[in-house]
Amino acid sequence: HVQLVESGGGSVQAGGSLRLSCAASGYMDSASTCMAWFRQVPGKERERVAAIYSYYVTTYYADFVKGRFTISQDNAKNTLYLQMNSLKSDDTGMYYCAAEEGNCRSSYLPVASEEYSYRGPGTQVTVS
């Protein structure tokens, strides 16, 4: 059974940086697993921030984080990261990691949170 746990959230001033981590427990086949970061603010739908399919060296970034955020994965540590630089107040929200095994393609990374079989409880990021 796969479990995901996020950490690294907190409060930071605009322009600052944070690095989120997502520790995964349980086995996932790296050849068929993709992962993503989502964020959600109250009253809005959860939106995909970045995604990665490391086996095919494929990444995706939402336009609103391109050039500021970097997604990476350390398979040896079973950990997903999100380096967030030049943070803005609009980046405030609950950040969730997600993993999907089997429904990933080098040409398609699942868009909606519901397309991912595993999701963590989230970590809060507040930018002021």
Side-chain angles (χ1 to χ4, degrees), residues 26-101:
Y27 175 76
M28 290 186 290
D29 181 357
S30 60
S32 58
T33 299
C34 57
M35 301 188 73
W37 287 99
F38 288 81
R39 73 183 184 192
Q40 188 169 23
V41 296
K44 292 188 177 181
E45 292 188 356
R46 194 171 296 193
E47 57 185 354
R48 187 177 60 167
V49 173
I52 185 168
Y53 193 174
S54 60
Y55 188 81
Y56 287 100
V57 197
T58 298
T59 57
Y60 161 85
Y61 294 96
D63 286 344
F64 51 80
V65 302
K66 280 182 180 177
R68 300 189 299 123
F69 291 12
T70 302
I71 190 171
S72 61
Q73 188 173 352
D74 185 334
N75 289 326
K77 295 183 178 180
N78 287 334
T79 302
L80 179 72
Y81 302 99
L82 185 68
Q83 178 67 44
M84 305 187 295
N85 298 329
S86 302
L87 284 162
K88 306 175 182 179
S89 58
D90 288 347
D91 295 319
T92 294
M94 185 71 78
Y95 283 71
Y96 303 86
C97 72
E100 167 59 23
E101 186 177 13

Side-chain angles (χ1 to χ4, degrees), residues 5-9 19-23 37 79-82 97 123:
V5 179
E6 304 91 340
S7 62
R19 188 176 81 155
L20 305 183
S21 299
C22 172
W37 287 99
T79 302
L80 179 72
Y81 302 99
L82 185 68
C97 72
T123 186

